[in-house]
Amino acid sequence: MDPILVGKAVTTDTSGSVVLLPAYGNRHGLVAGATGTGKTVTLMTLAEGFSRIGVPVFMADVKGDVAGLAMPGTTSDKLQQRLERIGVSDYRNEAAPVVFWDLWGKAGHPVRTTVSEIGPTLLARILELNDTQSGVLDILFKLADDRGLLLLDLEDFRALLGLIADERKDISTSYGLVSAQSIGAIQRALLQLEQQGADQFFGEPALELAELMRTTYDGRGVVNILAADQLILKPRLYSSFLLWLLSELFETLPEVGDLDKPKLVFVFDEAHLLFDDAPAALQQRIEQVVRLIRSKGVGVYFCSQFPDDVPDAILGQLGNRVQHALRAFTPRDQKAVKTAAETFVANPALDVAATIGQLGVGEALVSTLQDKGIPMPVEKTLIAPPRCRMGAITEAERAQVRAGSPVGAKYDTRVDRDSAAEMLAKKAADKAEQAQAPPAKTRADEAAGSEHGFGDAVKDAMFGTKRRQGMVETMAKQTARTVGSQVGRRIVRGILGSLFGGRR
């Protein structure tokens, strides 16, 4: 398979192409250098090279200029002179196949995952929780598992926090102490996260990793670009998302051993954000992933200003190195220059420490793995230019790329199915309805009611009601009429007898 052209060696007594062999593309790499020295262009050159040989790439666009991969470049006199110096004869302006992604769904297709998939460890890092509050988060996830509650979005997360607050005493007894202060702190952190727009990140449809490993009909690897110009302003969310993505690749992909080319190349820009304030357990996890994901066909390339931004345990795993200029103006810079010089395989014809401070824009010290995985001696290299546009694209051009994307129909529309929030709300509604319903009658109540009803019926029959008279009243009236009639007849007979002389 054709190697990826990185540039041309310009060391005094050496002249030749500097290449990256595809078979060792999964041995990871580092691109370092001060701001404005050409790191982004180098990343674009590497991304194009991997794409041309059929390797998908995932990379973050921190400044907005990596999006230029989606558009063909333009030829200029300066570019032509550079191509002649490097000796590139088959150069042509062309765009790479690109899919844009964005956590907020504005500059690309929405990237979503569920709260359950992100897990308590990374979620605690995103929310910047202390150890005690992180412990409460562990209890929350365990409670969700035990009660069969789906944690999909932040609404589910908030609903479960409310459940823990309501049942805090019982949960503390069963799972461990949960304080009201810890719940309040997590709720406040959650509110801040929502105000930053992170609620768009949690939900469904969740990103399927297979989408990041697409190839085109002509065999080129798709370059997945994450719009990170706003995301980088929230460094914990940025680094935690990329670490989650890398961990998911590690846990999902099968072991494949050594391939003739990587299955995916993952570029981690602004790598220092991944390790800033990272607890020891998290840093150990990163080291494990980087060390073992190679055998699953994934190459990880870190990009940062200083090589010592990456811990030594991980730096030792990075076989392909590109070091752009560093200016030793401060003791921090001088230490970085020394570190960079010591990490390269020495070249007798090159003073590495002195050369690092003298590199121009588009020049770099390069060392890649060659046959049998042996690193080549470091070479001062003129970096080859990419074939795409070296700069940002317009909103109209971005919209055009999105319109032709193969994944838009699947991810652009959010799905909200029943999960923890809906399930808990339904239980609360059922409980409230039961509380408002009249109590059910027992057998004793029914018997008492039956006896009471029979007595009322007898009373009504004997003494009557407002609408009808009872038996007693009826008999009394009948008696009165009977007595009245007899007395009346006697009086009449007495009067008539006196008139006609009859006997009384």
Side-chain angles (χ1 to χ4, degrees), residues 117-404:
E117 288 179 345
I118 206 78
T121 302
L122 284 182
L123 189 57
R125 176 173 167 81
I126 294 173
L127 296 174
E128 301 184 18
L129 305 180
N130 59 31
D131 291 341
T132 302
Q133 295 156 3
S134 299
V136 175
L137 213 57
D138 292 332
I139 292 175
L140 184 146
F141 275 80
K142 174 62 175 172
L143 183 67
D145 291 339
D146 291 347
R147 300 196 180 184
L149 299 174
L150 291 175
L151 286 175
L152 301 181
D153 51 27
L154 293 187
E155 186 178 356
D156 298 327
F157 184 56
R158 190 187 302 104
L160 208 56
L161 278 175
L163 176 66
I164 292 177
D166 294 339
E167 303 180 10
R168 185 168 58 85
K169 292 184 179 179
D170 294 337
I171 292 174
S172 296
T173 302
S174 303
Y175 295 90
L177 181 62
V178 177
S179 66
Q181 292 82 357
S182 294
I183 295 175
I186 296 174
Q187 289 174 329
R188 290 190 295 272
L190 181 61
L191 178 61
Q192 293 177 357
L193 191 65
E194 286 181 307
Q195 290 175 342
Q196 294 176 357
D199 55 330
Q200 300 295 323
F201 171 50
F202 295 97
E204 292 184 316
L207 176 66
E208 295 181 14
L209 298 181
E211 308 293 0
L212 304 181
M213 306 178 73
R214 288 177 173 268
T215 56
T216 61
Y217 67 93
D218 57 353
R220 291 191 297 170
V222 172
V223 181
N224 299 274
I225 299 178
L226 175 70
D229 53 336
Q230 296 299 315
L231 181 61
I232 199 66
L233 302 177
K234 305 164 183 62
R236 286 292 183 95
L237 181 59
Y238 169 77
S239 60
S240 298
F241 165 71
L242 291 185
L243 179 57
W244 163 78
L245 197 56
L246 192 59
S247 299
E248 287 294 302
L249 288 168
F250 171 70
E251 294 174 2
T252 304
L253 295 177
E255 294 279 343
V256 294
D258 291 327
L259 303 175
D260 58 349
K261 63 181 179 180
K263 296 175 65 176
L264 175 70
V265 166
F266 190 98
V267 180
F268 208 129
D269 201 0
E270 300 295 335
H272 66 280
L273 297 177
L274 180 60
F275 306 102
D276 286 349
D277 302 323
L282 183 59
Q283 187 164 318
Q284 186 178 5
R285 172 65 173 171
I286 299 170
E287 179 184 348
Q288 178 190 29
V289 170
V290 173
R291 185 186 299 273
L292 299 179
I293 202 171
R294 175 191 66 80
S295 63
K296 301 195 175 188
V298 177
V300 183
Y301 287 73
F302 294 95
C303 181
S304 192
Q305 291 196 14
F306 302 102
D308 57 0
D309 287 336
V310 181
D312 292 342
I314 296 176
L315 194 61
Q317 304 296 318
L318 312 182
N320 302 298
R321 306 285 184 89
V322 179
Q323 176 65 61
H324 286 269
L326 288 174
R327 311 307 181 194
F329 297 134
T330 66
R332 168 75 169 85
D333 296 341
Q334 293 171 3
K335 180 182 177 182
V337 169
K338 182 179 179 182
T339 301
E342 292 174 348
T343 57
F344 284 110
V345 177
N347 185 340
L350 192 64
D351 185 346
V352 176
T355 305
I356 289 177
Q358 300 170 0
L359 293 171
V361 176
E363 295 179 339
L365 295 174
V366 179
S367 175
T368 60
L369 297 178
Q370 301 301 304
D371 293 337
K372 299 181 180 180
I374 300 173
M376 59 174 271
V378 60
E379 292 283 359
K380 181 180 178 181
T381 305
L382 189 64
I383 301 297
R387 301 182 180 187
C388 63
R389 181 185 301 176
M390 289 182 281
I393 63 176
T394 65
E395 291 299 323
E397 290 171 335
R398 185 182 293 270
Q400 180 182 357
V401 174
R402 287 189 63 180

Side-chain angles (χ1 to χ4, degrees), residues 452-462 468:
H452 182 70
F454 179 74
D456 289 344
V458 171
K459 181 181 177 182
D460 293 342
M462 292 295 295
R468 63 184 181 182

